[in-house]
């Protein structure tokens, strides 16, 4: 399998037979690229791809994107992905690629990490409606317009502002997707609830401790950021708050088992130290575990 390193914008342009108009940012016409099949990509730039042709499976880690024609896929610096297709295909569509250096001393640079979708990794591509595709195309055309002008003192600000506008639209579209794919999301919420139930009914708490959000996301083949955003949209709580709520729910039930001390209950739940359990319980219930047991 070919391995392609994208360390710069020109690397990505050259790979797709596009001209480099600006060293730090480009709108890439993928139809100019040569036919290709299996290849692996190492990114040290930001890259958002809107492909108009099914190119096989896009893999990130051990999982495939929920990917089809007309979806946006996001890659950030440090990510590795691969395209798996046994036959050659002709790429079609567009990509926005920009180097992290473009963001220095810009408003976008201060909060680029707030756009969690750059670290979504499986089953998490953005599915666009026809109207949304037109908005994306308009954003790309504004950036392309700036790239075709002579670089002046306004260029960087205008380009970064238009990228930020594009990313803000993507945030809105992901929010819409969380709603329109509600049946998929509800299935994930149910699986999350079952995962926690199974966890506390097993010996895992005593062996490996309290369940983390990262552990739960990994068990469900989702990135922590996507998983956290989805749970927040569905429940109004963060994934961490949801886990803590489950811990309290299980703890309240087990405290009534008078055959066990509160310390034993704490260890069974996955707390390293009973005093941590007591503090955690009191913060959320207003009274200590022993007081809760006596009152009830």
């Amino acid at each position: 399998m070919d391995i392609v390193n994208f360390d710069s914008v020109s690397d990505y342009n050259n790979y797709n037979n596009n001209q480099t108009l600006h060293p730090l940012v480009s709108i890439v016409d993928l139809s100019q690229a040569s036919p290709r099949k299996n290849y692996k990509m190492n990114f040290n730039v930001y890259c958002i791809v809107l492909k108009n042709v099914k190119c096989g499976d896009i893999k990130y880690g051990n999982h495939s994107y929920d990917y089809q024609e007309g979806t946006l896929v996001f890659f950030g610096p440090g990510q590795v992905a691969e395209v798996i297709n046994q036959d050659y295909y002709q790429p079609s569509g567009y990509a926005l690629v920009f180097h992290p250096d473009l963001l220095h001393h810009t408003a976008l640079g201060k909060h680029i990490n707030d756009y969690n979708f750059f670290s979504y990794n499986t089953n998490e591509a953005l599915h666009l409606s026809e109207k949304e595709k037109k908005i994306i195309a308009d954003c790309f055309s504004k950036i392309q317009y700036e790239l075709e002008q002579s670089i002046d003192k306004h260029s960087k600000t205008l380009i970064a502002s238009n990228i930020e506008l594009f990313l803000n639209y993507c945030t809105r579209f992901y929010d819409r997707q969380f709603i329109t794919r509600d049946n998929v999301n509800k299935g994930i919420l149910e699986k999350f609830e079952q995962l926690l139930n199974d966890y506390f009914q097993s010996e895992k708490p005593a062996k490996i401790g309290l369940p983390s959000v990262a552990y739960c996301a990994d068990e469900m083949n989702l990135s922590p950021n996507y998983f956290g955003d989805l749970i927040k949209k569905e429940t109004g709580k963060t994934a961490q708050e949801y886990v803590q709520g489950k811990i309290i729910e299980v703890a309240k039930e087990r405290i009534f088992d008078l055959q066990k001390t509160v310390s034993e209950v704490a260890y069974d739940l996955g707390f390293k130290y009973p005093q941590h359990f007591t503090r955690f319980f009191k913060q959320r219930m207003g009274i200590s575990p022993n007081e809760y047991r006596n009152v009830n």
Side-chain angles (χ1 to χ4, degrees):
M1 178 178 289
D2 292 336
I3 299 177
V4 190
N5 295 308
F6 299 126
D7 295 321
S8 66
V9 168
S10 61
D11 285 344
Y12 195 81
N13 281 331
N14 292 340
Y15 186 69
N16 293 288
N17 299 324
N18 275 238
Q19 184 181 359
T20 300
L21 301 177
H22 191 292
L24 298 179
V25 58
S26 184
I27 299 293
V28 181
D29 181 355
L30 298 172
S31 66
Q32 297 183 34
S34 302
R36 59 186 62 149
K37 54 177 183 177
N38 294 349
Y39 61 100
K40 180 178 285 187
M41 303 171 286
N42 295 328
F43 289 92
N44 282 307
V45 292
Y46 291 95
C47 185
I48 304 99
V49 182
L50 174 60
K51 287 194 175 180
N52 294 329
V53 62
K54 180 67 175 168
C55 65
D57 293 328
I58 296 182
K59 303 272 287 183
Y60 182 89
N62 294 320
H63 308 292
S64 295
Y65 272 103
D66 180 8
Y67 172 73
Q68 58 199 34
E69 292 178 26
T71 52
L72 274 177
V73 183
F74 297 79
F75 302 105
Q79 291 191 343
V80 178
E82 57 187 281
V83 176
I84 300 175
N85 196 330
Q86 300 308 314
D87 301 314
Y88 281 94
Y89 72 95
Q90 174 59 52
S92 176
Y94 293 89
L96 165 62
V97 57
F98 58 95
H99 196 278
D101 287 353
L102 177 74
L103 307 182
H104 293 334
H105 308 297
T106 66
L108 176 58
K110 295 176 182 177
H111 61 91
I112 185 66
N113 292 330
D114 294 342
Y115 297 102
N116 287 338
F117 38 74
F118 280 111
S119 54
Y120 292 176
N121 58 18
T122 60
N123 304 320
E124 301 159 359
L126 178 56
H127 303 262
L128 299 172
S129 69
E130 289 304 315
K131 186 181 291 186
E132 289 167 349
K133 288 179 192 174
K134 290 177 182 176
I135 292 173
I136 296 302
D138 184 56
C139 289
F140 281 8
S141 69
K142 285 185 170 68
I143 296 169
Q144 182 65 27
Y145 172 82
E146 284 302 320
L147 294 176
E148 290 172 353
Q149 309 307 307
S150 299
I151 295 177
D152 60 26
K153 65 180 182 179
H154 303 290
S155 300
K156 181 175 180 177
T157 300
L158 288 168
I159 291 170
S161 296
N162 277 299
I163 293 174
E164 185 171 10
L165 176 65
F166 162 72
L167 295 177
N168 287 338
Y169 271 118
C170 292
T171 300
R172 168 185 274 181
F173 298 159
Y174 261 117
D175 283 349
R176 183 270 309 151
Q177 180 162 299
F178 280 126
I179 296 169
T180 56
R181 309 192 92 206
D182 191 52
N183 59 327
V184 177
N185 299 345
K186 281 210 165 30
I188 291 173
L189 187 59
E190 290 168 2
K191 288 178 183 176
F192 183 29
E193 180 71 18
Q194 189 60 51
L195 174 68
L196 292 174
N197 287 336
D198 292 344
Y199 190 91
F200 284 111
Q201 289 170 10
S202 71
E203 296 181 357
K204 288 179 180 177
K207 288 182 177 179
I208 61 178
L210 295 167
S212 67
V213 172
Y215 167 85
C216 295
D218 188 60
E219 285 293 302
M220 299 175 72
N221 294 331
L222 297 170
S223 66
N225 278 340
Y226 184 89
F227 176 66
D229 288 350
L230 190 152
I231 296 301
K232 180 75 171 178
K233 296 289 190 306
E234 282 294 306
T235 68
K237 301 176 183 177
T238 66
Q240 183 64 33
E241 288 169 341
Y242 195 95
V243 171
Q244 291 174 346
K246 174 58 69 173
I247 295 169
I248 286 293
E249 180 185 317
V250 176
K252 289 194 297 186
E253 181 183 328
R254 295 190 181 180
I255 282 170
F256 291 132
D257 182 359
L258 300 180
Q259 301 300 314
K260 291 193 173 184
T261 65
V262 169
S263 291
E264 288 173 326
V265 170
Y267 291 129
D268 286 347
L269 288 170
F271 286 88
K272 281 188 176 181
Y273 306 104
Q275 58 266 37
H276 290 177
F277 169 58
T278 298
R279 188 184 312 123
F280 171 82
F281 192 93
K282 190 168 185 177
Q283 283 174 343
R284 282 151 186 81
M285 298 301 298
I287 56 177
S288 70
N290 272 320
E291 290 171 330
Y292 184 84
R293 173 180 275 179
N294 293 332
V295 166
N296 289 278

